[in-house]
Amino acid sequence: MANFEAYQEYQRIEDYEEDSPPGEEDLLVHVPESLKDSWHHIKNLDNFFTRIYHYHQKNGFACMMLSEFFELIQFLFVVTFTTFLVNCVEYDVLFANRAVNHTGQGQNPYERNKVTLPDAIVPSQQCTQRYR
């Protein structure tokens, strides 16, 4: 009951706007629907303006598409090259864990003691069989 008595002591203050100039408190500002709602057809304005910003920063549609295309080419190259390295390179030969026969026509086996990349790469027929 004490709260109700304390509440009765307060008085309501009338609303007035300090921002409006004197004499224009009753002025009604009307904004036409066409100007107020010019973005009504866009569902997500944040997403729309983010896309416009990226369009501007990436210098247009053609540059954006070229960038995406080259990123795709780069991804395909990385996947293809990694697959080649996994399936078509003999790492035991490359790291000298297994000896390589360097005796060929007219070659002295003692002249050539270093392993080269062609020694470690599997022939193409064997490489394609490893894919399967």
Side-chain angles (χ1 to χ4, degrees), residues 76-95 116-118 120-123 126-128 130-131:
L76 292 175
F77 172 77
V78 168
V79 168
T80 305
F81 189 64
T82 304
T83 306
F84 169 78
L85 289 177
V86 168
N87 292 324
C88 298
V89 175
E90 290 188 44
Y91 289 100
D92 288 336
V93 172
L94 186 63
F95 295 125
T116 60
L117 286 177
I121 295 176
V122 176
Q126 290 178 1
C127 185
T128 54
R130 288 186 181 185
Y131 283 122

Side-chain angles (χ1 to χ4, degrees), residues 7 13 17-18 32 36 38 45 66 74 81 83 86 89 101 112 114 119 123 128:
Y7 181 72
I13 299 176
E17 298 178 12
E18 294 179 12
K36 181 179 90 175
S38 62
L45 280 176
L66 279 174
Q74 180 181 2
F81 189 64
T83 306
V86 168
V89 175
N101 186 6
R112 190 168 164 204
K114 292 186 178 181
D119 295 334
T128 54

Side-chain angles (χ1 to χ4, degrees), residues 24-118:
E24 293 186 5
E25 291 86 13
D26 297 329
L27 184 65
L28 179 64
V29 177
H30 175 69
V31 178
E33 283 294 319
S34 63
L35 296 178
K36 181 179 90 175
D37 224 5
S38 62
W39 298 98
H40 71 281
H41 60 284
I42 298 172
K43 302 283 187 211
N44 187 349
L45 280 176
D46 290 335
N47 188 22
F48 173 74
F49 285 119
T50 301
R51 288 181 13 213
I52 294 296
Y53 174 77
H54 288 299
Y55 178 81
H56 177 267
Q57 291 298 314
K58 292 185 177 183
N59 299 324
F61 184 74
C63 290
M64 287 172 59
M65 288 300 108
L66 279 174
S67 174
E68 294 291 326
F69 174 74
F70 287 127
E71 286 178 15
L72 177 65
I73 296 298
Q74 180 181 2
F75 174 75
L76 292 175
F77 172 77
V78 168
V79 168
T80 305
F81 189 64
T82 304
T83 306
F84 169 78
L85 289 177
V86 168
N87 292 324
C88 298
V89 175
E90 290 188 44
Y91 289 100
D92 288 336
V93 172
L94 186 63
F95 295 125
N97 294 337
R98 190 174 71 196
V100 178
N101 186 6
H102 290 294
T103 57
Q105 294 179 348
Q107 286 186 336
N108 184 359
Y110 298 110
E111 286 181 3
R112 190 168 164 204
N113 56 5
K114 292 186 178 181
V115 176
T116 60
L117 286 177

